[in-house]
Amino acid sequence: MRKIILNVAVSLDGFIEGPNGEFDWCFVDQDYGMKAFMERIDTIFFGRKSYELVQQMGKNPFPGKTKYVFSGTLKKKQSDIKIINRDFESVTENIKKQQGKDIWLFGGSELITGFTNAGLVDALHLAVHPIILGEGKPLFNGVKERQYFDLINTQTYSSGIVQLFYQRFIGGDHDLNFCFMVTDFTFGCICIPSEFCYSHGAPIPSQRFCQSTK
């Protein structure tokens, strides 16, 4: 089955858009793997606001791709888009079952929240930019429950961008340990999928303890 991939730029403080939906802060000095990614997908999912921002760029930036806009208010203005205005979960599941390549979940923030809450995001490609926006729209907002993803690859660039590639965890319970820091914030604590917690170059103070999710 086709995968829905959330491929998005994110700031160090967790924003994917500026306060007005702008993404002029995203680096465009090199390809950052987008050519290969575009060859992997043949369909793009947009929210209304994101689609309208893309339209302001002028000529169609994604020729040859099937484009769906999820909106209850947008009236069709372009012959190359399909508008989804109801039953988005069942429509999306049907699209995933169709023959074709993977699907790019472009955004924006509200669409990402809807797809995340519906459990429809199969993979995350996060391009973490070395910038703090201070305000804007967060990557995940209003997510109702925990969802686990496995880190499968990373890629660093000379510009300072770090790409993180995750896929949805499929299987039993995610056996993770969480470290709880009560009063002492002097030493960092790393949690790993095991029965132990380790600190950065120092013994773990008595104020900290590890608790299994089992």
Side-chain angles (χ1 to χ4, degrees):
M1 185 181 293
R2 307 162 77 184
K3 292 183 178 180
I4 294 178
I5 303 171
L6 171 57
N7 186 344
V8 66
V10 59
S11 67
L12 290 175
D13 48 349
F15 295 113
I16 60 171
E17 303 174 11
N20 298 311
E22 66 271 22
F23 46 87
D24 55 344
W25 49 273
C26 297
F27 291 7
V28 293
D29 58 304
Q30 52 184 295
D31 177 67
Y32 294 111
M34 283 304 297
K35 181 178 180 181
F37 178 75
M38 294 303 290
E39 292 176 353
R40 176 178 176 176
I41 62 106
D42 62 6
T43 301
I44 307 175
F45 288 168
F46 297 93
R48 178 184 61 81
K49 294 178 182 178
S50 293
Y51 171 73
E52 291 176 342
L53 281 173
V54 168
Q55 288 299 106
Q56 294 175 13
M57 298 168 61
K59 189 177 180 180
N60 181 7
F62 306 116
K65 306 298 181 184
T66 301
K67 292 175 280 294
Y68 292 87
V69 179
F70 291 76
S71 172
T73 59
L74 182 67
K75 294 183 179 179
K76 190 170 183 178
K77 298 180 180 180
Q78 303 291 331
S79 60
D80 64 339
I81 70 168
K82 300 178 181 180
I83 297 177
I84 307 299
N85 55 22
R86 60 185 178 87
D87 300 329
F88 90 93
E89 292 185 35
S90 60
V91 171
T92 299
E93 290 288 0
N94 288 333
I95 294 172
K96 289 183 65 176
K97 294 176 182 177
Q98 296 173 5
Q99 292 293 323
K101 298 182 180 181
D102 288 335
I103 301 164
W104 180 10
L105 177 58
F106 186 92
S109 180
E110 294 180 8
L111 188 66
I112 291 172
T113 297
F115 269 71
T116 303
N117 281 328
L120 291 171
V121 179
D122 300 301
L124 307 173
H125 293 186
L126 307 180
V128 183
H129 282 53
I131 181 174
I132 296 175
L133 293 180
E135 60 179 340
K137 297 183 180 179
L139 172 57
F140 296 113
N141 185 33
V143 176
K144 297 179 180 179
E145 60 183 22
R146 294 179 181 178
Q147 300 183 33
Y148 294 105
F149 289 80
D150 290 324
L151 180 67
I152 59 174
N153 198 10
T154 63
Q155 177 68 53
T156 60
Y157 293 89
S158 58
S159 63
I161 284 180
V162 178
Q163 289 184 326
L164 306 173
F165 301 90
Y166 294 89
Q167 66 182 10
R168 177 174 292 280
F169 175 77
I170 301 175
D173 293 336
H174 225 241
D175 183 17
L176 294 176
N177 292 331
F178 293 90
C179 297
F180 297 87
M181 293 188 288
V182 180
T183 58
D184 189 342
F185 294 91
T186 305
F187 304 103
C189 189
I190 301 174
C191 296
I192 61 174
S194 73
E195 297 301 324
F196 303 94
C197 289
Y198 295 89
S199 63
H200 288 293
I204 300 175
S206 59
Q207 290 93 339
R208 296 193 184 92
F209 58 95
C210 293
Q211 177 175 311
S212 174
T213 59
K214 285 185 177 178

